[in-house]
Amino acid sequence: MAENGEEKLLAVARHIAKTLGQNDTMADDILQIFSNFDGRFSREKLSEKMVDDNNPRGCAALERAVNSLDRQISQYVALDHPIWAHTADSSAFLDAIDDLIRTMRDWEPMAAEKSVSACLVRADDLMHQAMFRVGDEFRSLMDRGAESFELNRSNNESTGNLPFDSDDDNEENEDGLLHNGSDLDHQIPVAQPVTDYDIVIDALPSGTVSDLHEIAKRMVAAGFVKECSHVYSTCRREFLEESISRLGLQKLSIDEVQKMPWQELEDEIERWIKAANVALRILFPSERRLCDRVFFGFSSAADLSFMEVCRGSTIQLLNFADAVAIGSRSPERLFKVLDVFETLRDLMPEFDSVFSDQYCLVLRNEAVTIWKRLGEAIRGIFMELENLIRRDPAKAAVPGGGLHPITRYVMNYLRAACRSRQTLEQVFDESNAVVPSNKLDDRRASSSSMSVQMAWIMELLESNLEMKSKIYRDSALCSVFMMNNGRYIVQKVKDSELESLLGDDWIRKHNAKVRQYCTNYQRSSWNKIIGTLKLDNSSLASNAIAKSMKEKIKSFNTQFEDVCKTQSSWIVFDEQLREEMRISVSRLLLPAYRNFIGRLQCMPEIGRNTDRLMRYNPEDIEARINELFEGNNGSSGVRK
């Protein structure tokens, strides 16, 4: 080796003399300078090798070095068993590769000489053979390292030392995966329930990682970065995809996701949420750590390899979220779309951290794009809810003027949606949603975008209910219908986040509307009856007055009976409101009735016929009023 080193040193000196010397005299002068500088550059040794480019002796030292390295490397390339099975073999093989790399680098400046060029071609071919074999060894080391983990995992599973895929053993856990890193050099990651994402996975033994690093260092030095990265990423990609599949997430195209029945898609979204959290918080960071260890000192190679490992799994996760985002805008999908939106939003710091290098920029940008697309989907769902309210037809009247199904649906929907108020405020504020200005007063215009959105939906619902109320031919029943639905709306608002969104002024205004509907009901139902009981103070003869009062009491009996019979099927769902209405009717009717009955009893023309004319005494009237608004079919007024 020392002889070869001296030959290379002399060759470099001769090359410099030939390159810089414009003639033989100048070349001799340069050689003399070298000779004076170092005894190894004696004039005789330098001069005896100064031959023209066609003389094969010009690369004799290189040829001897290549021949020697060929013998060393070829014996390892031809081995039928893993080189890294024996430390001595692997060390010698790497030393030979190092020598080959140095030889090629040292002689590269003289590649223009034909004889040197021919030797370098041979050396390059030898390098390819060495890299092909070392690439196989790289792959074999990764496979054997993973197998040793799998074997150890199986042994521990059989002895019950670790928790695995048993529903009975893991009922308290909600999300899926892996061991906690306490025995990282002996466990293969598998999809197990976890509650703590503060986990680091060492997927390969530290000794294997060290061997892989030594191989990667040689492949990068030899210019085989892409080849090394390809071998590495192929092995790790398989591991990563298997880990994600163990979380239960299927490989589905966007088209397959969109065609999936909603109930199945709901279940798949739950699995996606768990898989996304485990991937971004555990699997990807662990892969990043492993890449950095294997390619330590070669950041570009580490970045490229990491991107190739995680790209497929990341695209799988993002494509699923994208399919959800561009899918149906049906209102019942809101809550699962919110789950996907919130998951992706909460994982954005992980995307920024893990995919921070230039190779992963496209993945990071795609995640942001799909997250924003999910926000657009949420806004689109609310637009579809608006359309649903507008289009809901006024086909048949709700029996007894009770709650309309659309009132229950919309209010319970909004109440549930407001549980995600923070998310919805973010979505609507970012959208700068525009609501028709003619539908908003100045107070609403200054509110948050979500407040405006909720107020606008309330107005649409109220308009729709007013349209539906016109189906009722009885104006009193129309008022009962609006009163019931208005009361329900106010109660739902006060019982949820809608109260703070819409504000006290909105509640006061709509309570006033409910009271007005109550007043309208009384006027429509009882004013005419009360008018019947109005006493005649004219100067008619007493017998004429008696006749008039007989007609009035008969008319009252008939009208009161008809109202009670008709309104016995009407419903007021709210117990407090029902009692208030009964009290109000009693206070309105009973004083007039008692006054009328008292006058009737005092008329001598009627005399003993008073009891026959009076079908109801005041207590009977009150009892009949207290039977109102119960409804023949209790289900029409059940509050849900």
Side-chain angles (χ1 to χ4, degrees), residues 281-305:
R281 298 181 191 274
I282 299 177
L283 291 175
F284 292 167
S286 296
E287 289 300 324
R288 177 79 254 186
R289 181 173 180 269
L290 181 60
C291 264
D292 290 342
R293 291 174 66 194
V294 171
F295 295 96
F296 179 75
F298 311 104
S299 59
S300 181
D303 294 343
L304 175 63
S305 300

Side-chain angles (χ1 to χ4, degrees), residues 19 63 85 142 189 206 233 267 285 293 452-454 518 535 629:
T19 301
E63 187 171 8
M142 296 190 74
S206 58
S233 59
D267 295 336
R293 291 174 66 194
V452 171
Q453 181 68 41
M454 295 299 109
C518 292
L535 296 175
F629 315 125

Side-chain angles (χ1 to χ4, degrees), residues 141-151 188 203-205 236:
L141 278 170
M142 296 190 74
D143 291 342
R144 290 203 305 274
E147 288 171 3
S148 69
F149 276 126
E150 183 65 31
L151 179 60
I188 185 172
L204 297 173
R236 295 308 303 164

Side-chain angles (χ1 to χ4, degrees), residues 395-533:
K395 291 182 179 179
V398 177
L403 291 177
H404 196 281
I406 195 172
T407 306
R408 285 198 191 96
Y409 176 81
V410 172
M411 294 311 301
N412 286 313
Y413 186 92
L414 295 181
R415 185 171 179 269
C418 285
R419 293 169 188 163
S420 301
R421 175 177 175 176
Q422 183 178 1
T423 299
L424 289 175
E425 285 181 336
Q426 179 183 10
V427 169
F428 288 120
D429 287 344
E430 288 180 354
S431 72
N432 295 317
V434 177
V435 178
S437 58
N438 61 331
K439 292 292 182 180
L440 301 173
D441 55 31
D442 292 339
R443 181 189 60 79
R444 289 184 190 169
S446 63
S447 302
S448 70
S449 297
M450 185 179 176
S451 298
V452 171
Q453 181 68 41
M454 295 299 109
W456 172 235
I457 291 176
M458 291 299 187
E459 293 194 21
L460 290 176
L461 177 59
E462 189 174 356
S463 297
N464 183 272
L465 290 171
E466 288 175 354
M467 177 185 67
K468 288 176 167 56
S469 71
K470 293 179 173 59
I471 299 176
Y472 297 102
R473 295 181 180 180
D474 191 324
S475 60
L477 184 55
C478 172
S479 296
V480 170
F481 173 78
M482 291 302 296
M483 177 182 61
N484 270 319
N485 286 272
R487 181 69 164 220
Y488 183 83
I489 290 171
V490 171
Q491 293 295 347
K492 285 293 182 180
V493 168
K494 292 172 67 176
D495 192 31
S496 68
E497 285 288 330
L498 287 167
E499 181 177 18
S500 59
L501 282 169
L502 297 174
D504 293 337
D505 288 343
W506 187 96
I507 293 175
R508 281 193 292 270
K509 176 181 176 182
H510 283 76
N511 273 329
K513 285 186 177 182
V514 172
R515 289 193 296 271
Q516 184 60 48
Y517 292 134
C518 292
T519 301
N520 293 343
Y521 158 77
Q522 289 182 1
R523 290 172 179 171
S524 300
S525 289
W526 301 103
N527 280 7
K528 183 179 179 181
I529 296 177
I530 292 173
T532 304
L533 299 175

Side-chain angles (χ1 to χ4, degrees), residues 183-447:
D183 198 12
L184 294 178
D185 286 345
H186 301 287
Q187 303 302 324
I188 185 172
V190 290
Q192 304 305 326
V194 296
T195 56
D196 182 8
Y197 290 111
D198 189 17
I199 295 172
V200 176
I201 305 169
D202 282 335
L204 297 173
S206 58
T208 300
V209 173
S210 179
D211 289 337
L212 292 172
H213 171 66
E214 292 301 320
I215 294 176
K217 184 163 62 174
R218 271 69 177 190
M219 295 187 76
V220 171
F224 287 77
V225 179
K226 291 183 178 180
E227 290 79 359
C228 184
S229 176
H230 176 72
V231 174
Y232 176 88
S233 59
T234 300
C235 295
R236 295 308 303 164
R237 184 165 54 243
E238 292 174 359
F239 166 85
L240 188 58
E241 291 175 354
E242 180 185 358
S243 294
I244 290 178
S245 71
R246 289 182 180 182
L247 293 164
L249 191 64
Q250 305 178 59
K251 275 191 174 182
L252 299 170
S253 67
I254 291 178
D255 187 55
E256 288 174 327
V257 173
Q258 291 184 318
K259 291 180 179 179
M260 186 178 294
W262 176 239
Q263 189 172 1
E264 293 181 18
L265 184 55
E266 283 185 304
D267 295 336
E268 196 66 20
I269 286 174
E270 289 298 320
R271 288 189 285 269
W272 179 88
I273 291 172
K274 295 177 182 179
N277 274 289
V278 170
L280 268 298
R281 298 181 191 274
I282 299 177
L283 291 175
F284 292 167
S286 296
E287 289 300 324
R288 177 79 254 186
R289 181 173 180 269
L290 181 60
C291 264
D292 290 342
R293 291 174 66 194
V294 171
F295 295 96
F296 179 75
F298 311 104
S299 59
S300 181
D303 294 343
L304 175 63
S305 300
F306 174 72
M307 186 273 291
E308 290 295 337
V309 170
C310 297
R311 180 174 55 183
S313 297
T314 305
I315 290 175
Q316 178 188 353
L317 292 169
L318 292 178
N319 279 349
F320 182 89
D322 197 24
V324 172
I326 64 179
S328 169
R329 296 291 192 265
S330 180
E332 68 267 14
R333 295 186 173 226
L334 171 67
F335 305 101
K336 286 301 179 183
V337 176
L338 276 170
D339 288 343
V340 176
F341 175 89
E342 289 172 345
T343 298
L344 206 53
R345 176 198 64 194
D346 295 343
L347 289 174
M348 278 302 156
E350 277 67 29
F351 271 101
D352 291 339
S353 174
V354 174
F355 298 125
S356 60
D357 60 81
Q358 58 177 343
Y359 293 103
C360 294
L361 178 62
V362 64
L363 297 177
R364 190 166 69 251
N365 290 342
E366 184 67 8
V368 173
T369 298
I370 293 174
W371 173 50
K372 292 182 177 180
R373 198 171 292 154
L374 285 163
E376 294 171 3
I378 292 170
R379 294 188 290 272
I381 288 173
F382 273 90
M383 291 180 63
E384 186 58 31
L385 176 65
E386 295 172 15
N387 293 332
L388 182 150
I389 295 171
R390 289 191 187 96
R391 295 192 301 259
D392 191 61
K395 291 182 179 179
V398 177
L403 291 177
H404 196 281
I406 195 172
T407 306
R408 285 198 191 96
Y409 176 81
V410 172
M411 294 311 301
N412 286 313
Y413 186 92
L414 295 181
R415 185 171 179 269
C418 285
R419 293 169 188 163
S420 301
R421 175 177 175 176
Q422 183 178 1
T423 299
L424 289 175
E425 285 181 336
Q426 179 183 10
V427 169
F428 288 120
D429 287 344
E430 288 180 354
S431 72
N432 295 317
V434 177
V435 178
S437 58
N438 61 331
K439 292 292 182 180
L440 301 173
D441 55 31
D442 292 339
R443 181 189 60 79
R444 289 184 190 169
S446 63
S447 302

